[in-house]
Structures are given as structure tokens and as C-alpha cells.
Amino acid sequence: MRTLCASTLIGEFFVIGFAGLVAMQMTELSTVTVWTVSGIAMLLSLLLCGMLTRPGGVQLGWALQIALIASGFVVPTMFFLGAVFAALWWASVHFGRKIDEAKARWAARSEASDEPAGDPV
């Protein structure tokens, strides 16, 4: 799960940065305000990559998804991009957990049969 979710968060990092550039041109918000908010969101997306396996990491990811959608009030395109990334986040969490469960079952079967884990050569 960690790999899929981290990939989504890295993609969001770049989208947030580009949205900040657009917000500077499209709104009357000051540059300091735009980059303070964008910078915090970008930093959060990077920090979440390392927090995914800790309690609350996935929930903070959902909070970031909601904030990304809400940023559509400043940059309207972000309503769409936020929804796309929320769907990617859901898929990363959902399918990542399924992959983790399958890996755990495979490792348990491998240990039970006393075979080394990995492909036979």
C-alpha cells in the first residue's frame, strides 16, 4: 500500500505546485498567501509519504484530498483534479491493502512449506 499511496502523494506534490502558479495569475491573493498555503500542502504531501504506515497516516491523506478538492474555490480546475486524485487515493489504499494481504498470504504459505521465499532458480 505504501508504494501506491506514496506515488499518488508525489503526483499531488507537483499538481499543488502548478496550482500555486496558476493561483498567482488568476486570483488577487498575494504571492505570500498563495505560496504559504501551497507550500504547506506540498510539504504535507511529502511528509505523508513517510507517515503512511503509522496510525492516522491514511486519514491525513484523506484530509489532503478534501483540501485539494476545496482548492477548486481558488483555482476552478482543482475541483476536477482534486476529484481525480481522491479517486487515485482511494484506489491506492484499496488495492494496496489487497496487495499487502496477498503478499502476507504468500509469505505464510512459503514459510509453511519450508521453501525459500522467491522464485526458484
Side-chain angles (χ1 to χ4, degrees), residues 9 12 16 20-21 23 25 27 33-34 36 41-42 49-50 56 58 64-65 68 76 85 90 95 101 103 117:
L9 290 168
E12 287 181 12
I16 293 167
L21 292 171
Q25 300 299 316
T27 65
T33 302
V34 168
T36 299
M42 291 170 75
C49 290
V58 173
L64 182 63
Q65 305 315 310
L68 203 59
F85 273 100
W90 175 85
F95 293 112
E101 291 169 4
K103 283 181 181 179

Side-chain angles (χ1 to χ4, degrees), residues 102-114:
K103 283 181 181 179
R105 281 193 308 271
W106 184 78
R109 250 187 273 143
S110 179
E111 286 180 14
S113 65
D114 292 326

Side-chain angles (χ1 to χ4, degrees), residues 8-52:
T8 301
L9 290 168
I10 295 299
E12 287 181 12
F13 172 85
F14 290 107
V15 167
I16 293 167
F18 291 132
L21 292 171
V22 172
M24 280 182 15
Q25 300 299 316
M26 289 182 60
T27 65
E28 62 276 347
L29 295 173
S30 71
T31 303
V32 173
T33 302
V34 168
W35 287 113
T36 299
V37 173
S38 296
I40 290 170
M42 291 170 75
L43 181 63
L44 181 59
S45 70
L46 288 180
L47 292 175
L48 278 173
C49 290
M51 295 176 52
L52 289 170

